[in-house]
Amino acid sequence: MKRILVTGGAGFIGSHLCERLLKERNEVICLDNYFTGSKENIVHLLDNPYFELVRHDVTEPYFAEVDEIYNLACPASPPHYQYNPIKTIKTSVMGAINMLGLAKRVNAKILQASTSEVYGDPKVHPQPESYWGNVNPIGIRSCYDEGKRCAETLFMDYHNQNDVKIKIIRIFNTYGPRMNPNDGRVVSNFIVQALKGEDITIYGDGTQTRSFQYVDDLVEGMIRMMNSEDDFIGPVNIGNPGEFTMIELAEKIIEKTNSQSKLVYKELPKDDPMQRKPDITLAFNNLNSWKPVINLDKGLQSTVKYFESVLQPSLM
Ligand code: NAD
Ligand code: UDP
């Protein structure tokens, strides 16, 4: 049995990862400060004797004997990470230093949840891992983008200098059940607005694109990456190459919810990337032919169902 630490384990992705790791008969320590995550996300795991919950902030050192670490702690939605930008960058950078220090000390393998945001507003499309990106270092998204870029640097340096066993994945926009209804990301916003019959808020003209990955496909990719050959350290893109404009996404959600909601257009936030689509060749070739298997239509069905259940009282 492996003992596995998941930082940010009470968040959207972390809770799915904890669940899957427990199913595979591992011992799981879920560490979180509940900034954007919640106990609701992991309450169903609390009866499992192999599941342990720790309230802790990754900007402070943490010690435990573990075999593997998945480092996910960091707010991920633009409104949340921009709420306290200094804390966001501290979480990425000091969190990485603290968790890499722990990995070094106990000889654990450590995986970093990096992001497609390291490509910024990309000039190369789709984005391969070899692309260095187009990131504004002093804009409103920089606390997140540059924090994650610096974390990647730290992972590489701990690996090269101290032989720490690392893995880096770059996650593209991921959605699914347990997204926080108030976190401001596009999939949750549109579904909640559609279910409540409110206007659907398109930022800009809605022609910007994103590639949406269902959370189960991501978790499968994360676990395959952790268990991949030691010399395959990444960074590797984990995302779904299906690319959609925000208008297309809104139309799909209106159809799936049978909503009467209308599209309204709001100002595009600063530095909002115009396009994003992963090149997943590297993942396919190195992670046992990993590729996403859940398309947007299918993934939206279960996500809509989830939001219907959470919003039930307020919809009546
Ligand atoms: P989330 O906000 O639901 O989860 C983040 C979790 O980290 C939360 O439970 C939060 O409370 C916790 N956290 C934040 N700061 C912390 C701190 N200082 N100490 C301890 N815990 C802290 O977001 P998510 O979508 O589940 O994202 C998880 C990870 O995946 C993040 O690192 C994010 O950057 C990365 N990622 C997500 C996406 C996506 O589309 N969801 C895309 C790219 C990368
Ligand atoms: N977006 C939108 N309406 C919303 C929320 C977001 O049109 O209510 C747009 C946003 O401007 C961006 C895209 O949807 O172009 C994805 O936004 P999200 O915050 O989900 O992720 P990110 O920008 O980090 O990829």
Side-chain angles (χ1 to χ4, degrees):
M1 211 178 208
K2 283 189 284 193
R3 188 175 307 132
I4 303 178
L5 173 64
V6 179
T7 77
F12 156 52
I13 296 172
S15 64
H16 287 274
L17 179 64
C18 289
E19 196 175 286
R20 170 81 186 266
L21 292 171
L22 286 168
K23 237 179 234 161
E24 293 183 356
R25 305 188 57 76
N26 299 291
E27 214 177 305
V28 174
I29 303 175
C30 166
L31 179 156
D32 211 292
N33 71 347
Y34 306 110
F35 174 50
T36 52
S38 79
K39 285 197 182 150
E40 281 300 307
N41 287 340
I42 34 100
V43 72
H44 61 295
L45 304 176
L46 290 177
D47 282 345
N48 189 322
Y50 297 105
F51 184 67
E52 224 173 301
L53 201 51
V54 178
R55 180 186 287 268
H56 185 80
D57 193 308
V58 288
T59 59
E60 301 292 337
Y62 174 76
F63 300 106
E65 291 288 335
V66 292
D67 304 296
E68 292 177 356
I69 304 168
Y70 288 84
N71 188 36
L72 274 67
C74 187
S77 85
H80 281 156
Y81 71 64
Q82 287 161 18
Y83 171 76
N84 184 343
I86 297 172
K87 178 70 192 211
T88 298
I89 199 160
K90 276 187 178 169
T91 296
S92 271
V93 176
M94 293 165 68
I97 292 171
N98 287 328
M99 291 307 127
L100 284 161
L102 173 62
K104 180 180 161 198
R105 184 171 169 157
V106 302
N107 197 25
K109 204 186 319 180
I110 178 165
L111 178 145
Q112 169 66 359
S114 189
T115 168
S116 53
E117 288 288 324
V118 300
Y119 302 121
D121 190 6
K123 301 282 183 222
V124 172
H125 194 72
Q127 294 81 54
E129 292 81 353
S130 53
Y131 178 50
W132 289 355
N134 175 38
V135 176
N136 178 356
I138 52 167
I140 56 170
R141 296 174 83 100
S142 313
C143 59
Y144 183 73
D145 300 8
E146 296 290 15
K148 289 284 187 178
R149 284 168 69 97
C150 182
E152 286 198 10
T153 309
L154 284 161
F155 268 68
M156 280 300 176
D157 289 342
Y158 269 75
H159 174 69
N160 291 329
Q161 200 176 323
N162 295 132
D163 285 329
V164 173
K165 292 173 274 181
I166 63 152
K167 305 275 177 185
I168 301 173
I169 59 168
R170 292 181 178 156
I171 304 170
F172 283 64
N173 296 61
T174 302
Y175 69 97
R178 299 198 205 118
M179 288 185 93
N180 182 336
N182 303 314
D183 85 1
R185 281 185 271 197
V186 69
V187 174
S188 41
N189 268 12
F190 285 4
I191 295 179
V192 170
Q193 289 161 345
L195 289 175
K196 290 186 169 172
E198 294 171 356
D199 289 341
I200 294 200
T201 52
I202 306 264
Y203 300 161
D205 64 5
T207 59
Q208 72 270 37
T209 67
R210 292 294 186 274
S211 297
F212 297 104
Q213 158 173 252
Y214 191 68
V215 65
D216 290 358
D217 284 329
L218 166 63
V219 168
E220 177 65 32
M222 290 177 108
I223 289 175
R224 285 197 201 187
M225 181 58 176
M226 185 60 107
N227 297 328
S228 63
E229 297 293 332
D230 281 350
D231 61 355
F232 183 61
I233 60 175
V236 61
N237 291 337
I238 303 287
N240 188 324
E243 186 183 9
F244 299 88
T245 65
M246 294 314 102
I247 292 179
E248 286 168 334
L249 176 70
E251 284 166 349
K252 272 186 188 297
I253 289 174
I254 288 177
E255 183 205 307
K256 295 207 173 345
T257 51
N258 290 318
S259 174
Q260 304 296 316
S261 293
K262 300 271 169 292
L263 307 189
V264 294
Y265 292 83
K266 305 255 174 184
E267 200 180 335
L268 186 69
K270 251 185 128 288
D271 295 338
D272 199 283
M274 266 316 290
Q275 53 182 5
R276 217 183 269 145
K277 171 180 166 143
D279 177 334
I280 58 166
T281 314
L282 194 66
F284 185 82
N285 290 341
N286 289 278
L287 303 178
N288 289 327
S289 310
W290 176 87
K291 61 176 189 292
V293 293
I294 299 165
N295 67 24
L296 186 57
D297 282 303
K298 188 155 177 233
L300 282 177
Q301 271 170 24
S302 47
T303 312
V304 165
K305 234 185 231 156
Y306 168 76
F307 280 108
E308 277 170 347
S309 71
V310 208
L311 298 174
Q312 210 61 42
S314 64
L315 290 177
M316 306 247 224

